[in-house]
Amino acid sequence: MGDKAQQAVIDGASRLYIIIGDPVAQVKSPGVYNPKFADAGMNTVFVPAHVPSAQFDEVMRGIMRLGNLDGLMVTVPHKSRIMPLVDRILPMGAKVGAINAIRREADGTWTGDMFDGTGLIRGLAKRDTSMKGRKVMLVGAGGGGSAVAIAVADAGAAAVSVFDADSAKAEALAARISQHYPACLARHGAVVFEGHDTLINATPIGMAPGDGPPVPLDGLRPDMLVIDIIMKPEVTPLMAHARALGCAVIGGKAMLEGQAEQVVEFYKIGSAP
């Protein structure tokens, strides 16, 4: 599939999809979606764009006026900030308070939704792993963490505990879980492994060279499931430690794969107009 994508011709009629972030060098989305465009016979290309946070509003208003732009993907730290620029937010994005995929409708308006968390749930299902009944310790309450928390609760988790260096963010996310999923016990505070069977890292800690685990791992047990949503590196310091301990470990590839399927459906890639 990759060879076919490399042979695709980009010309003046090509349609654009752009992934924005700050930074953006770590994203793998172009390698995922360009082959799908090629397989569907579409004259479309998916490219990264580094949108500095300090110039976000100015740059995005320009990008979204491009006449041949059909869609956007959004990565850190813009998933919440872009919401006011979108005309319509679908239910999961509204619950999360952040979006990561946006499509231009036939009337020129923009529709956005969030697939980080639901993509992870789909990716886990392909690995015969379910969140139903699980007691989750979640690290990170930003856009990605919020998406994961809501999706995990939606998938039937019994409890979700949220830790973030910004305690106000963690408190707000726990309250949002309780609001939308009252059957899921939600709390916020320090990282505690006792009483939990799953640890999920939804922070960027582990992405940069020299990073260690996102939190101290004293008390992590071999019987726990450890999930790290970071895409690159493929094996993070958290994952390496958990594997050495004997934990079941799942990396960011699971979320990427599940999300790709959902985003293809959202963008209607290869479907009739």
Side-chain angles (χ1 to χ4, degrees):
M1 300 304 176
D3 290 342
K4 186 173 182 180
Q6 291 170 10
Q7 295 168 5
V9 176
I10 300 172
D11 58 23
S14 298
R15 307 296 298 179
L16 297 179
Y17 284 77
I18 296 175
I19 181 164
I20 63 165
D22 182 19
V24 78
Q26 79 282 359
V27 302
K28 295 186 177 181
S29 303
V32 172
Y33 294 104
N34 280 319
K36 294 182 183 297
F37 292 136
D39 290 345
M42 300 169 68
N43 185 2
T44 304
V45 62
F46 195 105
V47 297
H50 182 192
V51 179
S53 297
Q55 287 84 42
F56 178 82
D57 292 328
E58 175 185 3
V59 172
M60 289 313 303
R61 286 193 175 95
I63 286 178
M64 293 177 75
R65 289 190 177 100
L66 290 172
N68 62 341
L69 178 69
D70 286 343
L72 289 161
M73 286 200 73
V74 188
T75 189
V76 291
H78 301 321
K79 295 177 185 180
S80 296
R81 192 169 178 182
I82 199 168
M83 292 182 74
L85 303 182
V86 177
D87 301 290
R88 188 178 304 103
I89 306 294
L90 297 182
M92 182 57 68
K95 288 179 184 178
V96 171
I99 56 177
N100 74 329
I102 306 166
R103 70 180 178 225
R104 175 176 261 151
E105 306 289 2
D107 62 1
T109 60
W110 293 94
T111 298
D113 205 355
M114 171 54 81
F115 298 99
D116 279 346
T118 55
L120 176 62
I121 298 302
R122 185 178 289 199
L124 292 175
K126 288 179 174 294
R127 290 159 174 80
D128 297 319
T129 300
S130 169
M131 287 291 105
K132 188 172 181 61
R134 285 193 170 271
K135 297 177 180 179
V136 178
M137 184 71 239
L138 174 70
V139 180
S146 296
V148 169
I150 295 297
V152 163
D154 188 72
V160 178
S161 301
V162 184
F163 168 78
D164 194 279
D166 183 338
S167 60
K169 277 187 179 180
E171 182 177 7
L173 178 54
R176 198 177 306 133
I177 296 168
S178 296
Q179 174 188 352
H180 295 294
Y181 302 96
C184 179
L185 178 62
R187 61 169 287 274
H188 66 94
V191 174
V192 178
F193 296 123
E194 185 178 354
H196 298 87
D197 53 34
T198 305
L199 170 65
I200 303 178
N201 176 41
T203 77
I205 300 173
M207 184 186 301
D211 276 357
V215 294
L217 298 178
D218 297 336
L220 187 68
R221 305 185 311 276
D223 64 328
M224 294 183 70
L225 169 65
V226 175
I227 300 170
D228 199 327
I229 71 170
I230 288 173
M231 307 292 180
K232 184 180 179 181
E234 188 172 335
V235 178
T236 65
L238 169 61
M239 293 170 64
H241 179 95
R243 282 179 179 174
L245 191 63
C247 300
V249 176
I250 297 176
K253 186 177 180 182
M255 187 171 79
L256 182 66
E257 291 172 351
Q259 183 182 116
E261 292 182 2
Q262 293 185 319
V263 171
V264 163
E265 295 164 6
F266 175 72
Y267 286 148
K268 305 173 184 175
I269 294 173
S271 62

